[in-house]
Amino acid sequence: MRFRQVHLDFHTSEMIPGIGKSFDKKQFQQMLQKGHVDSITVFSKCHHGWAYHPSEANETHPGLSFDLLGSMIEAAHEINVNTPVYISAGLDEKLARRHPEWLIRSRDDQTQWVKGFMVPGYHEFCMNTPYLDVLLKQIEEVATRYDADGIFLDIVGVRKCYCQACIAGIRAQGLDPRDENVILAYGETVYAHYTESVKRVIHAIKPDMPIFHNGGHIQRGRRDLAHMNTHLELESLPTGGWGYDHFPLS
């Protein structure tokens, strides 16, 4: 049985005006039908941290003047196309600059993805900080307010983190944060707590809601990590480091 799933990536800086101003419901529907699309992942929150809908749990993109997420869901559902909703979980550049203490830190206290704030790029959050509570409220808002056909959470996985929250947690267990094996084991615990927290929030609202945590490949043999999702998806682009051989081999 053929099933075509499209992932609509949408990451726009606050410097970009007129977000979605040319959105046309009928044209959107025509393109979905022309592409024989059965499901399209639409976006609640991007890597820059902005919401593409009215929000109390987040802040709406300053260049957006209407509920773009709601409009896409309504348009797709009218023609029987599913709409799982994308939330950038690991990256939120708006919040990263307000709470740098919540970011993943390397052993030499550099940030993840780029080494610091004077280098262009994103900075990844640690799920062992108060950021997790912020993220859970954003997820809860989407699951409550929108008729989503799933939640897709991006840029997540087991991480080695030396932020002060992780160091304190490890020391509270009587362990040595200078031991890399201890750091990695603690990262496993943090990730498991994150996925369980997400599941608890979403399934309290919609018990059958699909959930996928996207962070690249799941290591072979790690069925425990695979089962933290309700299903599996594969991100595979010919550009961006994947290459044309990635999808068929994977």
Side-chain angles (χ1 to χ4, degrees), residues 147-239:
D147 186 18
D149 297 301
I151 300 293
F152 183 105
L153 296 147
D154 203 12
I155 320 296
V156 290
V158 177
R159 303 288 191 255
K160 291 190 295 184
C161 181
Y162 292 83
C163 79
Q164 292 308 305
C166 288
I167 296 298
I170 289 169
R171 294 183 66 186
Q173 295 178 357
L175 300 173
D176 185 357
R178 293 169 295 186
D179 186 334
E180 188 170 351
N181 291 325
V182 169
I183 288 286
L184 184 57
Y186 196 74
E188 296 266 2
T189 301
V190 168
Y191 182 63
H193 176 259
Y194 149 77
T195 59
E196 186 58 37
S197 298
V198 168
K199 179 181 178 181
R200 183 175 65 252
V201 165
I202 293 174
H203 286 175
I205 301 164
K206 296 180 180 177
D208 298 324
M209 176 83 80
I211 304 169
F212 180 67
H213 303 277
N214 186 49
H217 283 306
I218 295 172
Q219 185 178 347
R220 283 180 297 176
R222 290 303 304 270
R223 292 175 182 264
D224 57 333
L225 294 180
H227 288 146
M228 291 175 184
N229 306 285
T230 61
H231 64 287
L232 296 180
E233 298 189 26
L234 175 62
E235 182 181 14
S236 185
L237 303 174
T239 56

Side-chain angles (χ1 to χ4, degrees), residues 20 38 42 65 67 100 174 204 207 220 230:
D38 299 293
V42 291
S65 61
D67 187 349
R220 283 180 297 176
T230 61

Side-chain angles (χ1 to χ4, degrees), residues 38-93:
D38 299 293
S39 177
I40 180 168
T41 304
V42 291
F43 39 89
S44 162
K45 173 193 170 187
C46 72
H47 291 345
H48 294 271
W50 301 104
Y52 294 87
H53 53 87
S55 176
E56 280 79 55
N58 196 0
E59 297 171 53
T60 304
H61 192 293
L64 180 68
S65 61
F66 69 105
D67 187 349
L68 181 55
L69 174 62
S71 298
M72 291 188 293
I73 291 175
E74 179 184 356
H77 282 179
E78 279 189 9
I79 56 172
N80 298 314
V81 174
N82 289 343
T83 54
V85 173
Y86 176 100
I87 296 174
S88 179
L91 303 179
D92 183 324
E93 195 60 20

Side-chain angles (χ1 to χ4, degrees), residues 93 97 100 103-124:
E93 195 60 20
R97 294 177 180 275
L103 297 173
I104 290 173
R105 296 283 175 169
S106 67
R107 191 181 186 95
D108 55 357
D109 204 35
Q110 294 181 331
T111 54
Q112 185 99 322
W113 280 54
V114 291
K115 295 180 179 181
F117 284 97
M118 297 307 290
V119 181
Y122 299 113
H123 306 82
E124 188 173 359

